[in-house]
Amino acid sequence: KPIKKNQATLAWPRLSLSIGFAQATSIICLSYGFILTYASQAVLLYSLHPLHSALMGYIFLHDFLPRETIIALILALFAMLIMFWPDLLYGNFGGKTQALGDYYRS
């Protein structure tokens, strides 16, 4: 059943508000996560946004990932393990590792 023009026109404001609310929530959670972690870990998480966007595009939109992007994702995973390894090794999940959880919730 095709969508009428009036129905499609009325859906855009609600969609725009939903996207804006999701983006604002994401930025608030990310900023709060940066307060809870070290500056070096915060910069690492922030700089990995394009790679995570590529990964989400592959998972949800079935985009093509070039070989260079796959290699960058693997290296980014190792970089995150190196930066967060001490907290993960000693079970410090309530301390500076909270930013990692807030990052993935946003």
Side-chain angles (χ1 to χ4, degrees):
K1 177 176 168 181
I3 297 175
K4 295 179 183 178
K5 186 175 183 179
N6 290 345
Q7 290 175 339
T9 306
L10 292 175
W12 280 107
R14 282 183 269 165
L15 181 64
S16 298
L17 285 174
S18 299
I19 291 172
F21 180 74
Q23 186 66 28
T25 304
S26 170
I27 291 171
I28 289 169
C29 289
L30 187 65
S31 299
Y32 183 68
F34 285 168
I35 293 170
L36 299 175
T37 190
Y38 299 111
S40 58
Q41 292 174 346
V43 169
L44 175 71
L45 292 175
Y46 186 74
S47 65
L48 294 178
H49 273 268
L51 293 175
H52 290 114
S53 297
L55 185 63
M56 293 298 140
Y58 175 75
I59 292 171
F60 294 112
L61 303 175
H62 306 291
D63 283 345
F64 173 74
L65 281 182
R67 184 179 66 218
E68 294 85 8
T69 305
I70 294 171
I71 292 170
L73 283 168
I74 292 169
L75 291 173
L77 177 66
F78 284 123
M80 287 178 62
L81 284 175
I82 290 170
M83 290 296 289
F84 290 100
W85 185 254
D87 288 338
L88 297 174
L89 183 65
Y90 297 112
N92 187 14
F93 298 112
K96 298 296 181 179
T97 316
Q98 276 184 340
L100 188 62
D102 288 344
Y103 177 75
Y104 282 108
R105 262 188 266 160
S106 60

